[in-house]
Amino acid sequence: EVQLVESGGGLVQPGGSLRLSCAASGFTFTDYWMHWVRLDPGKGLVWVSRINRDGYGKTYADSVKGRFVISRDNAKSTLYLQLNSLRADDTGVYYCTRAPVATSGVVTANFDYWGQGSLVTVSS
Amino acid sequence: DIQVTQSPSFLSASVGNRVTITCQASQDISNYLNWYQRKPGRAPKLLISDASNLETGVPSRFSGSGSGTEFTLTISSMQPEDIGTYYCQQYDVLVSFGGGTRVEI
């Protein structure tokens, strides 16, 4: 059974930091690109970041570029998101999700499995 | 960046009614468009991939169509369990989501 289990959320003051983890099981972790998506209370779903299968290719939404860092440990089948210089508008539920590469070679964003979500609240 | 505009933002439907949600991309995204359903307290669920491919286990009353810049999600006969918020998502250039459509009975 495919499972993605997030941890590490919580309440943090503006300017603070958190590290989210996402433990994957039930599938070959290295077959998938991995993404973080935030459920924003006012904006709905917001894409945050992605990382390729070997961990060397990383992309970020403009709103988090320079503040967040995505990484993965393929030996541990775990995805991470380091959140720095947090702002109130970073508040939300953070989901990790996986995206397959199509047989054609196209890198998809067909998010077929999601974690349960980890709540991050940025407030003083 | 590619903007994805979803409409309407809210709709109320009766059981058995046909429901249509549209998504417009700011530029041609071919068929790189997915649809998700989200219910309160739960993670989003992938319904339709690549504009028109129904995911395994999703009821056949759901369908997707379109290509280029205009896309549609249709529920042929609204059921009580279909309440929730629906999102379109493009992945032609990075990833972005539409603003969501809240569907109620």
Side-chain angles (χ1 to χ4, degrees), chain A residues 1-7 21-27 29 32-35 77-79 95-99 111-117, chain B residues 43:
Chain A
E1 179 192 6
V2 172
Q3 285 196 318
L4 297 168
V5 180
E6 295 106 339
S7 59
S21 299
C22 171
S25 60
F27 65 100
F29 189 61
Y32 292 82
W33 289 52
M34 297 298 295
H35 295 242
S77 295
T78 302
L79 174 72
Y95 293 99
C96 67
T97 183
R98 71 176 197 176
F111 301 149
D112 58 353
Y113 283 90
W114 298 63
Q116 85 284 0

Side-chain angles (χ1 to χ4, degrees), chain A residues 35 37 39 43-47 50 59-62 95 106-112 114-116, chain B residues 1 32 34 36 38 41-46 49-50 55 87 89-91 94-99:
Chain A
H35 295 242
V37 175
L39 178 62
K43 299 178 185 176
L45 294 174
V46 177
W47 176 77
R50 71 180 180 187
T59 317
Y60 301 92
D62 287 345
Y95 293 99
V106 170
V107 176
T108 79
N110 302 350
F111 301 149
D112 58 353
W114 298 63
Q116 85 284 0
Chain B
D1 292 3
Y32 299 136
N34 301 325
Y36 297 84
R38 199 191 77 84
R42 300 178 65 175
K45 175 184 177 181
L46 179 62
S49 62
D50 301 328
E55 290 294 299
Y87 294 90
Q89 171 224 36
Q90 69 80 25
Y91 66 94
L94 295 182
V95 177
S96 54
F97 289 90

Side-chain angles (χ1 to χ4, degrees), chain B residues 41-60:
Chain B
R42 300 178 65 175
K45 175 184 177 181
L46 179 62
L47 299 176
I48 304 280
S49 62
D50 301 328
S52 60
N53 295 331
L54 190 68
E55 290 294 299
T56 302
V58 176
S60 58

Side-chain angles (χ1 to χ4, degrees), chain B:
Chain B
D1 292 3
I2 296 180
Q3 310 303 317
V4 182
T5 304
Q6 206 174 320
S7 61
S9 57
F10 170 82
L11 71 86
S12 181
S14 299
V15 174
N17 277 14
R18 185 181 186 87
V19 170
T20 300
I21 300 169
T22 63
C23 188
Q24 182 174 46
S26 58
Q27 65 188 65
D28 188 335
I29 58 170
S30 184
N31 67 332
Y32 299 136
L33 189 287
N34 301 325
W35 291 97
Y36 297 84
Q37 175 196 64
R38 199 191 77 84
K39 298 191 176 188
R42 300 178 65 175
K45 175 184 177 181
L46 179 62
L47 299 176
I48 304 280
S49 62
D50 301 328
S52 60
N53 295 331
L54 190 68
E55 290 294 299
T56 302
V58 176
S60 58
R61 62 181 178 273
F62 290 92
S63 64
S65 63
S67 67
T69 61
E70 301 284 340
F71 301 86
T72 300
L73 173 70
T74 300
I75 308 174
S76 61
S77 176
M78 179 73 184
Q79 299 301 306
E81 61 267 30
D82 298 336
I83 61 171
T85 303
Y86 293 79
Y87 294 90
C88 59
Q89 171 224 36
Q90 69 80 25
Y91 66 94
D92 184 45
V93 177
L94 295 182
V95 177
S96 54
F97 289 90
T101 297
R102 187 160 63 94
V103 176
E104 294 186 353
I105 294 283

